[in-house]
Amino acid sequence: MQTFFKSELDGLVDISQSIPVIFPIHPRTRQQIEHSPFKINHTSLNLIEPLGYLDFLALQTHASLVLTDSGGVQEETTYLGIPCLTARPNTERPITITSGTNRLVASERRILVDAVYTALNGNPKYGRSVPEYWDGQAAVRIVELLRQYNYG
């Protein structure tokens, strides 16, 4: 198993000792864990099957915090106002950082654990403001623009 991935899993196991952690896990990732010497024992780290979009969105909606490496999830949590930690050195969704709902963190055990507890204790600069134009009215604005240019 790759060293950075083991470090992330160790961090999730550490966190799960004090709070429940739900990890929708890809089949290849599950297989990687099962064929490694790393074992998950007696924790609240719940490895569940991958979820469909609506089920995953519902899970995010009820989360206290989301830890991800997915750009799409960064955007969803920003819209939902759920604090997000992104375990990557950069993001193609910088608006999630500037809006205050997302923070980049290193994929290292101690850093992940510290970042999670900092976020859960209310210390980050997480805002609940949705970026401009993320109001669900894109279709209305598009239709208006098309009408202005006589396309409809």
Side-chain angles (χ1 to χ4, degrees):
M1 183 180 315
Q2 297 175 1
T3 305
F4 77 91
F5 183 64
K6 179 164 182 346
S7 183
E8 289 173 337
L9 281 175
D10 286 339
L12 291 176
V13 168
D14 291 349
I15 295 161
S16 74
Q17 299 303 311
S18 58
I19 60 171
V21 175
I22 300 171
F23 183 2
I25 189 166
H26 190 279
R28 284 189 303 254
T29 305
R30 182 182 295 275
Q31 185 177 33
Q32 190 177 13
I33 292 169
E34 289 170 355
H35 290 95
S36 76
F38 181 77
K39 300 298 176 218
I40 299 171
N41 297 317
H42 303 92
T43 69
S44 294
L45 179 55
N46 300 298
L47 302 179
I48 65 171
E49 296 301 316
L51 300 172
Y53 177 72
L54 293 177
D55 290 332
F56 189 72
L57 195 59
L59 189 64
Q60 289 179 80
T61 300
H62 293 95
S64 300
L65 173 79
V66 172
L67 174 62
T68 189
D69 64 356
S70 164
V73 171
Q74 295 170 51
E75 289 182 337
E76 291 162 359
T77 56
T78 295
Y79 183 79
L80 296 169
I82 305 297
C84 181
L85 297 174
T86 300
R88 289 181 18 194
N90 55 44
T91 179
E92 66 280 4
R93 283 29 180 234
I95 195 165
T96 66
I97 303 294
T98 58
S99 71
T101 58
N102 185 22
R103 188 173 135 215
L104 299 175
V105 295
S107 297
E108 298 172 28
R109 180 182 192 168
R110 196 74 253 145
I111 292 171
L112 287 174
V113 171
D114 290 346
V116 165
Y117 288 119
T118 297
L120 291 174
N121 289 325
N123 296 330
K125 297 179 182 178
Y126 290 119
R128 293 192 68 87
S129 65
V130 174
E132 186 177 13
Y133 302 120
W134 285 31
D135 57 4
Q137 299 300 308
V140 172
R141 285 191 289 277
I142 291 168
V143 167
E144 183 56 37
L145 284 170
L146 291 172
R147 284 185 179 148
Q148 286 177 16
Y149 292 100
N150 295 318
Y151 291 115

